[in-house]
Amino acid sequence: ADAAILAGKTTPGVPPGEPLFSADRGWPQCGCFTGGQRLAIGGFKSLPTAWAFSRLADYFNYDERFDEADGPALVPMSGTGGERIERIVESLNLLIFTSKAEYWLADRALSRTVAPQHVEASTHGSKRGVPITKNEGAAVFAHSQGSVLSEMRYTDVEGNFAALDISLFGSHLVRGVVDMAVRRANLSTDGHQLHIVNTDGSARVATTAFRI
């Protein structure tokens, strides 16, 4: 009689190596939800100048086996030595703040099949641990030294994002910023207030319609 014996079976394989981030390897430094229904994360311990975005409308799915345009992707940046991603901020375009520079993505839509184009806006660097606040289309951040505040805003004249110094006229009031937040105005006749905390425990309050 004839007989058939199953000698082998094909199963999906798992790529070699270790997870990019985990409880053992550390978690991402920062992240944000984008307007394109993705979760962008970055500042990995093993790849400090790389960031990743999730699958479309599936915020916690980073399975690289989804190779279509709506799939997730890991994006390495060509940063300088010692540079690391500090913050990713959703704005007019996705903004990426590192320890040495500020970047924005020329393409608003994220796609696995199209490499994001990083455009350098300035080279101040953002201080680790200090939140970046959003105010009327601008992202307010503390420089890497913590003693200067700038707002990153898109300008039609230059066709680029520019980091404008907003603490120039009161530089003696900003010393080692450790925290800050924006308080929204309740009335149309009021201005938003920027609250700043310095290293020595002193606090500053500024109306964001004017320079400090």
Side-chain angles (χ1 to χ4, degrees), residues 148-149 165-174 210-212:
V148 178
L149 297 180
D165 184 353
I166 61 173
S167 60
L168 179 64
F169 299 135
S171 57
H172 62 288
L173 300 175
V174 181
F210 304 95
R211 292 177 180 263
I212 299 174

Side-chain angles (χ1 to χ4, degrees), residues 140-154:
V140 181
F141 68 98
H143 290 196
S144 57
Q145 301 300 323
S147 297
V148 178
L149 297 180
S150 287
E151 67 170 13
M152 194 167 171
R153 184 186 298 274
Y154 185 83

Side-chain angles (χ1 to χ4, degrees), residues 119-143:
V119 182
E120 185 178 271
S122 61
T123 55
H124 300 300
S126 177
K127 186 176 180 181
R128 170 158 289 204
V130 178
I132 294 177
T133 61
K134 297 171 66 175
N135 178 61
E136 301 297 335
V140 181
F141 68 98
H143 290 196

Side-chain angles (χ1 to χ4, degrees), residues 63-127:
D63 192 337
E64 62 183 359
R65 289 175 294 181
F66 293 100
D67 56 2
E68 300 295 332
D70 63 344
L74 176 66
V75 185
M77 297 179 62
S78 57
T80 59
E83 187 173 7
R84 62 181 184 267
I85 294 177
E86 300 291 357
R87 294 278 177 171
I88 302 176
V89 179
E90 168 70 8
S91 185
L92 179 65
N93 294 68
L94 197 66
L95 307 178
I96 300 178
F97 294 81
T98 74
S99 56
K100 295 186 178 182
E102 292 73 49
Y103 304 87
W104 59 283
L105 299 188
D107 298 322
R108 296 185 183 181
L110 297 175
S111 173
R112 178 183 172 89
T113 57
V114 179
Q117 181 181 356
H118 303 91
V119 182
E120 185 178 271
S122 61
T123 55
H124 300 300
S126 177
K127 186 176 180 181

Side-chain angles (χ1 to χ4, degrees), residues 149 174 177 179-181 194-198 202-206 212:
L149 297 180
V174 181
V177 177
D179 199 3
M180 63 180 176
L194 178 64
H195 294 252
I196 307 163
V197 180
N198 293 324
S202 61
R204 306 285 185 251
V205 180
I212 299 174

